[in-house]
Amino acid sequence: MTHSSYNPYKIAQYQFDKVADLLELDDGVRQLLRQPMREYHFSIPVRMDDGTVRVFNGFRVQHNDARGPAKGGIRFHPMETVDTVRALSMWMTWKCAVVDIPLGGGKGGVICDPHQLSMREQEQICRGWVRQIAKNIGPWSDVPAPDVMTDGQHMLWMLDEFETIHGGRFPGFITGKPLGNGGSQGRTEATGYGVVYVLVTALDEMGIALDKTTASIQGFGNVAQHAARLYTQLGGKVLAISCWDQNDMTSYTYRKKSGVNVIELQDIADKFGTIDKKRAADLGYELLPGDAWLEQDVDILIPAALESQIHRDNVENIAPGVKVVAEGANGPTTPEADEVLHQRNILTLPDFLTNAGGVTCSYFEQVQCNTNYFWDKNEVLQKLEKYMTSAYIAVGDVARRQKISMRDAAYVIAINRVAKAVQARGWA
Ligand SMILES: NC(=O)C1=CN([C@@H]2O[C@H](COP(=O)(O)OP(=O)(O)OC[C@H]3O[C@@H](n4cnc5c(N)ncnc54)[C@H](O)[C@@H]3O)[C@@H](O)[C@H]2O)C=CC1
Ligand SMILES: O=C(O)CCC(=O)C(=O)O
């Protein structure tokens, strides 16, 4: 079964319901939190380079903003669905709550394939997206950021369009901006580094020395590359990395049993995180099927590509020695697979805790933009590590005390915080 057979929104609601039952959550609060508060669907007409007009479908979903403006990325993907955006917006609410930053949850997307679009066409999509939703987003209500196949350049086009429409400078409207244009030091690295900060603390608690561990990673984009870099800098060895290959419309795993050289692979990857097959072969990498990343005899698996990648039909292929799954992607593990990991005593570091480094740094970016005073990289990363480590420790405490999984414990903390905000405002 492929990941597209799973509905991420149903999975997000299933995860929520399970913990809402455990918490005996008030019925009104439950009804409010198990679905988004607002969603926008719109068309974005774009004049293409060949002179024709194409209409793209765009979305923004604001799941909950009781704790602060909705926050979350914008994804460009050909298989994007509104249910995926709904799920991602829900997970953003829990993510901001579990790291205790004063933001809610939102997410956006456009059904498009940037591989097939010129930069001018992508710019028109960005500007068109903002034109359709400019009245319903802003630093005071909903603050976008990058996600899959979007980056700082897309954010800057969006900012420029927003500022043109509203007639002013609003650098806090969007995060993940380039340095020098209101971006924060460390934002590019933040999600991947955050994954490793959490992993370091978890391994420490397990009495495992990181520099004696091996890992296999799915994805080689923003999150995966920076996670791989910090993990290897700390002495870990990455044995395999998988990524999507647009030319062959399939994924491959690149393996080097002596340990991959992350910088060398970054040099031969394109901006979409696709590794060049031929050059990888020249550098001595074995080319394996896409799913092989999951089957490696390693200590740590880091899914950092897309949702529902570890599912009931492949979870049994995980090697017996795997001790930790550190979820860099949003929703990479389906509930059935999650249950198998739990039974096998594999520690799963849940997505909305483990990959919260990106939004935490986005929050820092907003704070810096609002005060117009920018911090150096060390300061940003020190603060980031503190937020990530404290959140991990708090989740671990709840998991131990209540004898529940790390995922359920992260939900317990996040749902309680959001429920409290919703009730205090008198919404439910
Ligand atoms: N960029 C960010 O700050 C954050 C991203 N995330 C999540 O992390 C995940 C990855 O995001 P980014 O790294 O930003 O995206 P990206 O677009 O930079 O990279 C995605 C990577 O996944 C690979 N990929 C796609 N389909 C694949 C498949 N079927 N098999 C193997 N590899 C595949 C691509 O080749 C690429 O290397 C997503 O779930 C995203 O929502 C979560 C928190 C923050
Ligand atoms: O940086 C942000 O605001 C959100 C990043 C994001 O989309 C995510 O954490 O999934």
Side-chain angles (χ1 to χ4, degrees):
M1 192 174 284
T2 64
H3 87 275
S4 56
S5 320
Y6 294 96
N7 181 327
Y9 185 41
K10 289 208 160 65
I11 291 176
Q13 288 187 319
Y14 169 87
Q15 292 170 341
F16 168 77
D17 286 340
K18 186 176 171 209
V19 178
D21 285 346
L22 190 75
L23 294 173
E24 296 177 3
L25 200 65
D26 169 85
D27 210 41
V29 175
R30 179 197 279 250
Q31 280 179 50
L32 187 62
L33 298 187
R34 79 184 300 279
Q35 60 189 335
M37 292 193 75
R38 284 176 293 278
E39 54 184 61
Y40 304 90
H41 302 212
F42 42 87
S43 310
I44 308 170
V46 170
R47 186 160 303 276
M48 306 297 282
D49 291 350
D50 65 4
T52 61
V53 171
R54 249 182 86 187
V55 178
F56 294 89
N57 294 96
F59 310 103
R60 185 71 183 173
V61 176
Q62 295 161 354
H63 171 254
N64 190 278
D65 55 7
R67 284 173 45 87
K71 185 85 190 80
I74 301 171
R75 182 180 285 194
F76 283 2
H77 199 278
M79 306 299 281
E80 191 66 313
T81 67
V82 68
D83 273 351
T84 310
V85 184
R86 287 176 178 135
L88 292 165
S89 75
M90 251 176 120
W91 287 324
M92 283 310 305
T93 302
W94 314 134
K95 192 178 300 194
C96 294
V98 82
V99 286
D100 209 4
I101 54 178
L103 294 165
K107 201 83 177 196
V110 179
I111 305 174
C112 69
D113 187 353
H115 293 96
Q116 316 294 343
L117 298 166
S118 70
M119 290 308 278
R120 193 200 67 82
E121 290 165 341
Q122 291 183 47
E123 177 177 351
Q124 292 313 307
I125 293 177
C126 289
R127 292 184 184 277
W129 190 92
V130 171
R131 281 198 294 276
Q132 295 304 324
I133 186 92
K135 293 188 189 69
N136 306 104
I137 53 179
W140 50 85
S141 60
D142 182 1
V143 181
D147 192 67
V148 171
M149 286 200 268
T150 56
D151 61 21
Q153 177 62 76
H154 298 97
M155 299 305 109
L156 195 54
W157 286 325
M158 289 183 168
L159 175 70
D160 190 64
E161 192 65 26
F162 184 86
E163 291 183 332
T164 304
I165 292 168
H166 288 283
R169 289 285 173 256
F170 305 98
F173 156 63
I174 204 160
T175 60
K177 300 182 291 296
L179 289 175
N181 283 103
S184 173
Q185 291 285 350
R187 175 60 186 87
T188 311
E189 298 88 342
T191 310
Y193 278 22
V195 170
V196 177
Y197 295 150
V198 168
L199 182 62
V200 165
T201 320
L203 291 174
D204 215 36
E205 282 184 354
M206 294 164 87
I208 298 173
L210 185 146
D211 60 2
K212 301 275 184 301
T213 62
T214 52
S216 176
I217 302 181
Q218 187 190 36
F220 199 54
N222 172 274
V223 179
Q225 288 187 21
H226 293 289
R229 278 190 78 147
L230 185 57
Y231 172 75
T232 49
Q233 272 166 28
L234 296 174
K237 201 193 274 186
V238 176
L239 300 191
I241 288 181
S242 92
C243 63
W244 182 253
D245 189 307
Q246 183 65 19
N247 292 326
D248 299 355
M249 291 301 282
T250 189
S251 54
Y252 294 110
T253 299
Y254 296 86
R255 181 170 73 180
K256 200 176 248 186
K257 284 189 172 159
S258 56
V260 311
N261 178 332
V262 181
I263 295 169
E264 168 182 276
L265 285 181
Q266 281 183 305
D267 285 344
I268 61 164
D270 68 12
K271 63 178 177 181
F272 299 110
T274 297
I275 295 168
D276 184 314
K277 276 198 304 287
K278 166 135 191 7
R279 294 173 73 190
D282 291 345
L283 291 166
Y285 288 86
E286 292 172 79
L287 185 67
L288 305 173
D291 242 12
W293 75 277
L294 185 90
E295 299 161 11
Q296 301 307 304
D297 187 12
V298 289
D299 303 298
I300 299 153
L301 293 176
I302 306 181
L306 291 175
E307 59 283 349
S308 302
Q309 295 298 305
I310 307 180
H311 47 75
R312 64 166 174 256
D313 298 326
N314 67 7
V315 66
E316 301 292 354
N317 300 342
I318 292 179
V322 170
K323 298 171 188 70
V324 181
V325 174
E327 296 184 333
N330 287 306
T333 311
T334 68
E336 298 111 324
D338 212 19
E339 190 51 39
V340 174
L341 296 178
H342 191 61
Q343 279 160 14
R344 281 180 58 179
N345 223 2
I346 296 174
L347 176 69
T348 304
L349 301 173
D351 51 1
F352 68 83
L353 165 69
T354 310
N355 70 27
V359 74
T360 303
C361 193
S362 278
Y363 163 58
F364 298 159
E365 183 174 328
Q366 276 191 299
V367 171
Q368 294 170 83
C369 285
N370 293 343
T371 53
N372 206 9
Y373 176 70
F374 287 80
W375 315 334
D376 67 27
K377 194 164 179 174
N378 267 346
E379 186 172 353
V380 172
L381 294 181
Q382 270 171 16
K383 285 185 165 72
L384 182 65
E385 186 167 8
K386 194 163 157 234
Y387 268 76
M388 297 303 292
T389 309
S390 320
Y392 170 84
I393 289 169
V395 170
D397 279 353
V398 171
R400 265 187 301 278
R401 266 192 281 117
Q402 300 195 18
K403 298 190 174 37
I404 55 178
S405 69
M406 289 291 282
R407 189 183 315 282
D408 289 349
Y411 267 107
V412 164
I413 292 177
I415 293 175
N416 271 329
R417 284 184 179 148
V418 180
K420 202 169 148 200
V422 160
Q423 285 173 317
R425 282 176 181 274
W427 289 357

